[in-house]
């Protein structure tokens, strides 16, 4: 293995030469207490940055084993260290050192959610950070001294700050890991408590703005306060502060299984609660405000998404007798309407194992949600293909075990089918279940129930992998996440705008490659078996092997773990997908 002196010598030699000479750097270098791997050298200063790894022996890093024993704690510690590297980069690196990406040092750190990522590996033998780096140049000329400053000074400083336990802020690290552990412990308890979600008292749900996912300041935000009738307390493994007191159980609001309505006046905070529940499928960083808003991992947000494609989904429980006899038991379209898209998304979610649906009137198709008495009088059932959600929501729970949390400020017909009704008033929840039930009895809805037959069993579709083609031009595999909402798959761009629980572009990238992996292995079985098979692969082998061009023991690229539901959602939106039985 080369040494750090070799690195200096090479940099002095190639200083002032053409950019391609940087290729000579590709190798491993023994520094006094860590190893630097330069795995990939970019082709020019504007190309995607070079990929490097910094590997510290476990004995030198000295991380306490209890902080990374078990998957939950290991992922949390890794995530914490990634954030610390990111801070250290901002504090220590000069930044711009020439043209293009010259001087860039970056690690794939996430937002408010804590995710399993490829950017950091904590193992008993070593700790490894995977970084991107822009090797510096002026024009096409190598700036060797600048590169030396980055690789031989800035990088060791960052490693020194973050990858040695004695220099880490140990209390913050512990708080972070224990907090994530607590969240996952609550999640595991939800089912036996009969809940789909839990919102701890004192949680801060609103965000700074539509463009920032950080919490609204404590001065402006109204902390969540649970109505007495819904309050319960859940034990957590690590003591935590609530109401200024250290406690080993958290009190808060349990959202029961069944059908829950969130009602209330406009702008009183309804959608904010639902969005927190959507994100609650992931753990959050301490101080996020939603760290103790915990939702079952099998909750899926459903919204209308006209224009999406649908491939042979049985939406006949919601939509039947379309004009010109179009089949809705195996419904396919390249251009769904609001209602057909919403029906398909529900069936698809249940097909892969969703046990809770989250819906907001703001993003739902009105005609899918309800048809009131007057409309029923004007447009007869035989001319209306839709059986509205209000007539299926109880059946979904009672016969299929699928709960619903629904924001609905505009239609009282849902009082008849709700188990729990929470009103948001001045950003505070009130339990108005009994009042809503009384009103439902006193003011009988004049509408008629429109179901004529039960929801058919959810059939499992089998992806026909030969229908997927990830090639484009000369490239056999062209997959690229353009943003959190768009991933290039061969000739297609999968539009994931309607998949609202995707939170990170590295998840989107992982999904693109996961689809390719499933297809290249011709993974057997129905959609649920396929996405669960992928999830098991991630459990066993991590995310390092997702890129087919990746060779072992190198920087694997930036990936974050997606849920099975979002992988399925992307496949369902791939227009080239064909399925069989
Ligand atoms: P609704 O869905 O009831 O119309 P929203 O949830 O969209 O209302 O909230 C309206 C506004 O109030 C948003 O700007 C949101 O950030 C803010 N908001 C929501 N909850 C709170 C809260 N607990 N404290 C302070 N502001 C809040
Ligand atoms: Mg709203």
């Amino acid at each position: 293995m080369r040494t750090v002196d070799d690195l200096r010598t090479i940099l002095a030699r190639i200083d002032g030469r053409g950019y391609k000479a940087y290729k000579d750097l590709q190798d491993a270098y023994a520094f006094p207490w860590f190893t630097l791997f330069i795995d990939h050298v970019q082709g020019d200063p504007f190309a995607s940055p070079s990929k490097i790894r910094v590997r510290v022996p476990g004995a030198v890093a000295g991380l306490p084993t209890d902080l990374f024993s078990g998957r939950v704690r290991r992922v949390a510690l890794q995530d914490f260290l990634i954030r610390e590297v990111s801070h250290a980069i901002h504090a220590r690196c000069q930044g711009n050192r020439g043209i293009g990406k010259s001087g860039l040092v970056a690690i794939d750190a996430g937002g408010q959610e804590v995710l399993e990522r490829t950017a950091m590996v904590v193992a008993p033998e070593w700790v490894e950070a995977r970084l991107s780096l822009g090797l510096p140049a002026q024009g096409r000329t190598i700036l060797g001294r600048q590169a030396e400053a980055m690789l031989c000074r800035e990088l060791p400083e960052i490693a020194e700050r973050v990858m040695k336990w004695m220099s880490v802020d140990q209390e913050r690290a512990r708080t972070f890991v224990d907090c994530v552990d607590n969240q996952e412990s609550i999640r595991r308890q939800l089912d036996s408590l009969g809940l789909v979600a839990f919102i701890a008292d004192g949680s801060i749900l609103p965000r700074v703005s539509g463009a920032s996912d950080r919490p609204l300041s404590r001065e402006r935000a109204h902390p969540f306060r649970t109505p007495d009738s819904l309050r319960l307390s859940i034990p957590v493994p690590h003591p935590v502060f609530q109401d200024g007191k250290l406690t080993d159980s958290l009190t808060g609001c349990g959202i029961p299984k069944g059908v829950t309505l969130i009602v209330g006046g406009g702008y009183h905070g309804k959608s904010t609660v639902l969005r927190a529940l959507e994100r609650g499928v992931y753990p959050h960083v301490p101080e996020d405000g939603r760290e103790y808003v915990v939702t079952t991992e099998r909750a899926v947000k459903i919204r209308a998404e006209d224009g999406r494609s649908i491939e042979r989904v049985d939406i006949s429980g919601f939509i039947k007798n379309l004009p010109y006899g179009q089949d809705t038991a195996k419904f396919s379209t390249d251009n769904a309407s609001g209602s057909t898209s919403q029906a398909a998304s529900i069936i698809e979610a249940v097909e892969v194992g969703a046990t809770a649906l989250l819906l907001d009137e703001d993003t739902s198709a009105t005609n899918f949600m309800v048809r009131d008495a007057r409309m029923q009088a004007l447009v007869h059932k035989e001319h209306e293909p839709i059986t509205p959600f209000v007539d299926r929501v109880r059946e979904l729970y009672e016969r299929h075990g699928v709960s619903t949390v629904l924001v609905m400020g505009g239609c009282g017909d849902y009082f008849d089918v709700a188990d729990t009704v929470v009103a948001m008033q001045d950003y505070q929840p009130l339990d108005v279940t009994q009042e809503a039930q009384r009103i439902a009895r006193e003011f009988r809805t004049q509408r008629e129930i429109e179901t004529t037959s039960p929801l058919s069993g959810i059939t499992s579709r089998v992806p026909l992998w030969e229908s997927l083609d990830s090639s484009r031009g000369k490239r056999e595999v062209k997959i690229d996440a353009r943003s959190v909402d768009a991933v290039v798959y061969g000739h297609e761009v999968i539009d994931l705008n309607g998949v609202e629980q995707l939170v990170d572009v590295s998840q989107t990238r992982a999904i693109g490659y996961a689809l390719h992996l499933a297809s290249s292995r011709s993974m057997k079985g129905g959609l649920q078996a396929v996405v669960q098979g992928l999830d098991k692969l991630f459990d066993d082998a991590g995310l390092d092997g997702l890129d087919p061009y990746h060779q072992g023991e190198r920087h694997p690229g930036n990936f974050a773990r997606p849920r099975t539901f979002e992988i399925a959602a992307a496949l369902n939106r791939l227009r080239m997908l064909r399925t069989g039985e």
Side-chain angles (χ1 to χ4, degrees):
M1 198 190 300
R2 290 170 170 172
T3 66
V4 60
D5 292 327
D6 298 330
L7 180 59
R8 288 208 171 86
T9 312
I10 300 170
L11 287 170
R13 173 163 59 73
I14 64 176
D15 183 35
R17 287 179 45 195
Y19 203 85
K20 292 274 178 274
Y22 265 138
K23 290 278 178 201
D24 292 354
L25 289 180
Q26 232 153 268
D27 206 341
Y29 300 87
F31 277 60
W33 57 276
F34 63 85
T35 311
L36 168 67
F37 298 88
I38 303 184
D39 289 328
H40 166 78
V41 172
Q42 65 206 98
D44 68 74
F46 294 94
S48 8
S50 306
K51 288 179 181 160
I52 65 165
R53 290 173 295 138
V54 174
R55 179 182 286 187
V56 180
V60 178
L63 300 172
T65 44
D66 73 293
L67 285 189
F68 60 96
S69 56
R71 207 183 77 79
V72 169
R73 292 176 74 78
R74 178 174 52 79
V75 167
L77 180 63
Q78 288 170 179
D79 188 286
F80 174 81
L81 293 174
I82 294 170
R83 291 167 199 273
E84 292 297 288
V85 171
S86 181
H87 289 146
I89 289 172
H90 287 114
R92 313 247 154 186
C93 295
Q94 175 180 321
N96 186 11
R97 289 175 179 272
I99 62 162
K101 305 214 165 69
S102 296
L104 168 123
V105 183
I107 191 161
D108 187 38
Q112 298 297 100
E113 284 81 21
V114 176
L115 301 175
E116 181 175 348
R117 319 182 76 94
T118 51
M120 180 76 65
V121 181
V122 174
E125 312 79 53
W126 38 260
V127 180
E128 183 174 284
R130 284 94 175 255
L131 298 120
S132 311
L133 190 114
L135 287 167
Q138 204 48 264
R140 294 280 181 277
T141 308
I142 287 176
L143 296 175
R145 263 178 233 210
Q146 300 285 341
E148 188 188 333
M150 291 172 72
L151 292 167
C152 304
R153 198 183 67 231
E154 289 178 354
L155 217 51
E157 273 176 19
I158 294 166
E160 182 76 45
R161 268 295 292 113
V162 180
M163 298 175 78
K164 279 187 180 169
W165 181 241
M166 59 190 187
S167 44
V168 170
D169 184 337
Q170 302 182 356
E171 199 172 306
R172 273 206 317 121
R174 253 179 209 292
T175 305
F176 192 102
V177 172
D178 288 349
C179 177
V180 172
D181 217 7
N182 279 345
Q183 297 175 53
E184 292 304 342
S185 164
I186 294 172
R187 202 183 321 281
R188 283 193 302 274
Q189 296 177 63
L190 289 176
D191 193 48
S192 58
L193 291 168
L195 304 177
V196 295
F198 173 78
I199 306 176
D201 279 319
S203 293
I204 302 291
L205 309 189
R207 302 292 97 189
V208 166
S209 72
S212 165
D213 201 33
R214 301 180 73 82
L216 190 63
S217 67
R218 300 255 158 193
E219 297 82 68
R220 292 177 51 204
H222 297 251
F224 190 89
R225 230 180 323 108
T226 306
D228 290 339
S229 52
L230 294 172
R231 180 170 297 126
L232 56 96
S233 83
I234 299 189
V236 287
H238 311 283
V240 22
F241 277 97
Q242 189 176 37
D243 276 338
K245 285 193 294 279
L246 201 60
T247 163
D248 46 23
S249 66
L250 284 164
T251 66
C253 178
I255 309 277
K257 293 179 185 175
V259 178
T260 302
L261 282 193
I262 302 175
V263 304
Y267 217 68
H268 277 256
K270 303 183 297 297
S271 296
T272 302
V273 172
L274 195 80
R275 269 195 298 272
L277 295 177
E278 285 164 43
R279 292 299 181 99
V281 299
Y282 301 111
H284 286 86
V285 300
E287 316 264 299
D288 171 77
R290 300 167 300 183
E291 62 271 38
Y292 292 115
V293 179
V294 180
T295 309
T296 162
E297 68 277 15
R298 289 165 76 180
V300 178
K301 170 72 182 286
I302 302 291
R303 59 167 293 162
E305 211 184 323
D306 49 319
R308 63 159 285 193
S309 64
I310 295 172
E311 161 62 16
R312 287 178 71 252
V313 177
D314 180 0
I315 56 168
S316 60
F318 292 107
I319 296 163
K320 244 187 193 147
N321 308 326
L322 284 181
Y324 309 111
Q326 294 177 61
D327 184 11
T328 58
K330 291 193 174 71
F331 184 70
S332 299
T333 179
D334 283 323
N335 192 1
S337 64
S339 55
T340 49
S341 67
Q342 209 162 346
S345 296
I346 289 174
I347 300 298
E348 288 165 346
V350 176
E351 181 184 6
V352 291
T355 55
L357 306 176
L358 309 174
L359 284 84
D360 192 326
E361 61 183 348
D362 292 351
T363 50
S364 291
T366 308
N367 61 346
F368 179 75
M369 299 310 287
V370 76
R371 231 156 73 81
D372 68 9
R374 284 182 165 166
M375 197 55 82
Q376 285 179 331
L378 183 66
V379 180
H380 284 272
K381 176 66 188 152
E382 58 267 30
H383 299 297
E384 172 52 271
I386 302 177
T387 300
F389 189 64
V390 67
D391 289 334
R392 290 291 187 201
V393 65
R394 282 228 66 77
E395 192 184 352
L396 271 169
Y397 179 59
E398 284 161 12
R399 296 205 32 231
H400 298 270
V402 179
S403 298
T404 294
V405 182
L406 169 63
V407 169
M408 181 50 86
C411 175
D413 285 338
Y414 273 90
F415 293 175
D416 292 310
V417 294
D419 299 299
T420 310
V421 185
V422 175
M424 293 305 293
Q425 193 177 311
D426 302 323
Y427 309 128
Q428 291 306 338
L430 308 169
D431 181 357
V432 296
T433 308
Q434 289 185 358
E435 205 181 337
Q437 285 170 350
R438 182 183 57 77
I439 291 169
R441 280 192 305 272
E442 274 174 28
F443 304 87
R444 292 246 161 236
T445 177
Q446 303 297 318
R447 69 180 299 277
E448 276 164 37
I449 293 173
E450 302 200 320
T451 43
T452 48
S453 55
L455 204 54
S456 51
I458 310 290
T459 50
S460 169
R461 294 165 299 150
V462 175
L464 300 176
W465 294 118
E466 61 274 20
S467 64
L468 266 65
D469 179 4
S470 58
S471 72
R472 176 143 138 192
K474 285 200 203 76
R475 293 199 49 153
E476 213 168 299
V477 182
K478 175 69 184 170
I479 291 169
D480 187 16
R482 287 194 181 158
S483 69
V484 65
D485 295 325
V487 56
V488 174
Y489 195 89
H491 281 282
E492 233 184 276
V493 181
I494 314 177
D495 181 354
L496 299 171
N497 260 299
V499 184
E500 295 182 314
Q501 288 166 295
L502 261 183
V503 295
D504 194 297
V505 65
S506 293
Q507 281 183 308
T508 310
R509 190 175 301 113
I511 287 176
Y513 283 103
L515 295 183
H516 173 74
L517 184 73
S519 137
S520 62
R521 294 192 179 186
S522 290
M523 284 175 77
K524 294 222 172 1
L527 253 164
Q528 181 170 28
V530 167
V531 292
Q532 286 177 352
L534 285 167
D535 209 46
K536 170 126 192 358
L537 268 176
F538 296 158
D539 272 343
D540 296 344
L543 305 164
D544 278 9
L546 272 175
D547 182 344
Y549 293 119
H550 171 258
Q551 298 148 359
E553 279 290 305
R554 296 185 64 186
H555 190 311
N558 293 329
F559 294 111
R561 185 155 175 176
R563 295 195 309 161
T564 55
F565 297 103
E566 280 70 40
I567 301 176
L571 186 57
N572 281 318
R573 283 160 182 76
L574 188 61
R575 291 174 189 276
M576 62 179 90
L577 172 72
R578 292 295 169 263
T579 64
E581 232 89 342

